Amino acid sequence: MEELRLLPSVHAVLQQNDWEGGEKGIPASVIKKWVQEELDVLRLSLMNGSYKEGWERKRFLAAVSAGVRKKMEINGAYTLKKVVNATGVVLHTNLGRARLSSAAVAHVLEAASSYTNLEYSLEQGTRGSRHDIIENQICDITGCEAAMVVNNNAAAVYMVLSALAKQKKVIVSRGELVEIGGSFRISSIMEESGAILKEVGTTNRTHLHDYASAIDEETAILMKVHTSNFKITGFTKTVFSQELLALKEQHPELIVYEDLGSGSLFPFARYGIGEEPEIKRSIAAGLDLISFSGDKLIGGPQAGIIAGKSKWINQLKKHQLARVLRVDKLTLAALEATLLSYHQEEAAREIPVIRDIIRAEEEIRVQAERIKEKLESVYECHIRKGHSMVGGGTMAAVVLPTYIIEVTHPAFSAPELSRRLREQSVPVIVTVKNDCCHIDPRTVDEADEAALLSAFFSL
Ligand SMILES: *Cc1c(COP(=O)(O)O)cnc(C)c1O
């Protein structure tokens, strides 16, 4: 095809725009890749006849340059970027789950830019252990004897099983063999860890005697898994982890372990929200070990916390996997500051995850009215009552009452509008439903409102 010969070379585009040395902090190699992508798009549209402007080298050059410039504006130098979460899903897994508190951010900033006593005892002037950094704090808050922190809760489960039950049996109810987020299955993690899964009971009913009769010399752990992302109702029976402790009277060597998944340090139930197990209660009941996530309901950084009896935690700390799964100073700093908010009973005010979950309906309504008023100059907007989700696979059965703004653009369809909103320099993520874009202000901070409005007005 004759017109294809008129396509400029990558070099010509780079040179024409003076981009050969990079631009706005974006490396030259990235810009070069974008030029290639834009040229591919242009080539394709020429080949399938959808390019409607005249065929001229100058026009082609201008089209490719404009495309790259748009990518620069949208992408900036970074691939990981801030977005406005207008979905109302608080722990949105795809949007990075928890936002950190300001105290946690400040602590991370200081730890990141300084030397720290990560593995140094200031008292003795000798080598210390990073486990000590927040162990005492976790113990104070949860009431446990000992604790350690690993990379995430999946790692915590893997570590407990691998370090304490390799080639031994772990008894789990069939009703708790969950899959979380598509890539974490209790049965698969168990297999990877080298522990042997012993399923008991049925999907809907498991009794204490099911566990009791499955115990033999090869059994190491009685495991409970909190089924946070689904709920079975009807003819059901589960055994509480506390009841499992009764079986230890005849088998004192067994470990009773519960994977709480999210686990909470905040009394959500007191606000009428869900029935998440409170970490303190599980510890007070006397469980040997529990594990929970740092960035679900705790509202901190991605991390997995293992807490319980020193006898077992000490074994875990000495295991090779502790080194493999250890966290860095940034995670520890974020977690320490987050946990401190619980100490000071400031969690509801300071931790964004908790603040968003317990937000008052009336406050959300006022915010929805405020956003609607601004958008109405261009968009058709309606406010109606709706529900937000907690997300992150936790409190699946809980719906949080909220107010939704249904937005329609005079010209663009809802999928088109949502695509354009994602292309802004601070992308806005909305929900598309019934050919409307839905904004749930629950997860939009007042400080994010400007970015949200600016996206809607610069499509
Ligand atoms: C979320 C969850 C996990 C995995 O935790 P991550 O922090 O995402 O690794 C494990 N078990 C349960 C029950 C969970 O809910």
Side-chain angles (χ1 to χ4, degrees):
M1 285 171 91
E2 188 194 337
E3 61 272 24
L4 289 182
R5 272 189 287 120
L6 293 172
L7 280 177
S9 67
V10 173
H11 180 69
V13 182
L14 291 174
Q15 210 174 27
Q16 151 101 14
N17 292 284
D18 217 2
W19 287 335
E20 284 152 312
E23 172 90 359
K24 296 180 192 155
I26 305 169
S29 59
V30 173
I31 297 177
K32 193 168 158 193
K33 192 188 83 187
W34 289 342
V35 172
Q36 260 151 357
E37 283 172 8
E38 286 300 315
L39 280 168
D40 290 345
V41 171
L42 187 56
R43 188 174 298 113
L44 206 68
S45 63
L46 283 170
M47 278 163 40
N48 66 22
S50 59
Y51 186 78
K52 292 292 176 237
E53 317 246 332
W55 302 335
E56 236 185 286
R57 187 178 292 266
K58 240 170 54 191
R59 287 235 169 113
F60 290 164
L61 197 60
V64 171
S65 303
V68 173
R69 232 173 264 122
K70 189 166 175 203
K71 279 201 159 91
M72 281 180 181
E73 225 165 82
I74 295 169
N75 295 307
Y78 294 125
T79 306
L80 178 68
K81 51 176 118 183
K82 171 196 168 109
V83 304
V84 173
N85 173 10
T87 67
V89 180
V90 180
L91 292 165
H92 200 304
T93 304
N94 303 146
L95 304 182
R97 285 197 192 158
R99 297 185 281 173
L100 295 180
S101 68
S102 326
V105 170
H107 198 31
V108 168
L109 191 68
E110 184 172 68
S113 53
S114 323
Y115 291 108
T116 60
N117 61 334
L118 181 65
E119 290 190 354
Y120 185 79
S121 159
L122 291 172
E123 227 169 84
Q124 326 223 330
T126 52
R127 189 199 166 115
S129 160
R130 73 177 65 207
H131 293 306
D132 296 342
I133 301 283
I134 48 174
E135 182 171 19
N136 286 342
Q137 207 184 24
I138 297 173
C139 294
D140 282 354
I141 296 178
T142 67
C144 67
E145 282 177 23
M148 67 183 288
V149 182
V150 291
N151 194 36
N152 55 28
N153 190 42
V157 175
Y158 177 73
M159 168 141 203
V160 169
L161 296 175
S162 180
L164 303 175
K166 193 166 241 139
Q167 273 141 36
K168 299 212 187 111
K169 286 189 194 155
V170 177
I171 302 178
V172 186
S173 159
R174 287 199 170 87
E176 297 172 9
L177 291 170
V178 295
E179 172 175 307
I180 293 136
S183 57
F184 177 87
R185 278 188 181 174
I186 290 295
S187 51
S188 313
I189 284 277
M190 188 89 72
E191 209 176 305
E192 284 296 326
S193 74
I196 301 157
L197 171 63
K198 173 74 188 151
E199 301 174 26
V200 295
T202 61
T203 309
N204 57 330
R205 289 173 72 82
T206 304
H207 305 266
L208 190 59
H209 62 74
D210 291 323
Y211 289 89
S213 55
I215 296 173
D216 60 22
E217 314 80 79
E218 278 143 49
T219 308
I221 297 183
L222 305 180
M223 182 179 185
K224 282 280 298 176
V225 181
H226 180 58
T227 54
S228 47
N229 59 356
F230 71 98
K231 206 173 172 95
I232 295 182
T233 53
F235 187 53
T236 61
K237 167 88 178 85
T238 55
V239 177
F240 291 107
S241 43
Q242 293 89 310
E243 298 174 66
L244 290 178
L245 289 169
L247 299 178
K248 280 189 63 150
E249 279 166 26
Q250 286 100 53
H251 309 275
E253 71 293 347
L254 287 180
I255 299 168
V256 179
Y257 162 48
E258 181 161 15
D259 171 22
L260 293 176
S262 28
S264 148
L265 289 170
F266 187 80
F268 287 108
R270 237 185 277 158
Y271 288 73
I273 302 172
E275 303 156 356
E276 268 319 291
E278 274 187 53
I279 291 158
K280 276 184 230 175
R281 286 219 199 123
S282 306
I283 292 288
L287 296 198
D288 292 303
L289 287 174
I290 57 169
S291 64
F292 51 95
S293 166
D295 62 338
K296 288 192 190 170
L297 291 175
I298 304 289
Q302 179 192 301
I305 299 168
I306 310 173
K309 302 271 159 67
S310 340
K311 178 179 171 193
W312 306 116
I313 298 284
N314 288 341
Q315 279 193 36
L316 294 177
K317 281 181 186 167
K318 283 191 212 121
H319 197 275
Q320 272 302 309
L321 275 176
R323 173 61 203 265
V324 176
L325 302 173
R326 77 182 187 182
V327 295
D328 74 335
K329 62 177 180 175
L330 305 186
T331 300
L332 286 173
L335 193 56
E336 181 174 33
T338 306
L339 293 175
L340 201 61
S341 293
Y342 287 99
H343 262 318
Q344 298 162 341
E345 309 213 335
E346 293 286 358
R349 209 169 50 79
E350 289 180 357
I351 298 177
V353 166
I354 295 180
R355 207 169 57 212
D356 288 351
I357 293 176
I358 65 171
R359 267 188 84 178
E361 226 177 310
E362 179 57 15
E363 184 190 295
I364 298 175
R365 193 188 61 75
V366 170
Q367 192 186 3
E369 292 288 353
R370 188 168 61 224
I371 295 171
K372 172 174 177 262
E373 212 167 279
K374 303 252 171 60
L375 290 180
E376 263 171 345
S377 62
V378 173
Y379 295 86
E380 195 183 315
C381 301
H382 296 283
I383 293 181
R384 59 162 188 80
K385 283 191 160 213
H387 300 294
S388 328
M389 304 291 291
V390 174
T394 92
M395 300 205 217
V398 170
V399 284
L400 305 166
T402 192
Y403 286 87
I404 305 263
I405 316 162
E406 296 176 335
V407 187
T408 31
H409 188 273
F412 304 136
S413 69
E416 173 70 10
L417 176 57
S418 86
R419 186 182 64 73
R420 285 172 183 257
L421 289 168
R422 290 197 305 272
E423 280 180 355
Q424 301 306 308
S425 54
V426 177
V428 173
I429 314 299
V430 296
T431 313
V432 176
K433 230 182 234 167
N434 309 325
D435 211 36
C436 274
C437 285
H438 288 192
I439 301 173
D440 181 346
R442 176 179 297 277
T443 45
V444 180
D445 266 4
E446 248 185 279
D448 283 337
E449 260 178 61
L452 177 114
L453 293 169
S454 138
F456 270 92
F457 288 114
S458 48
L459 300 174

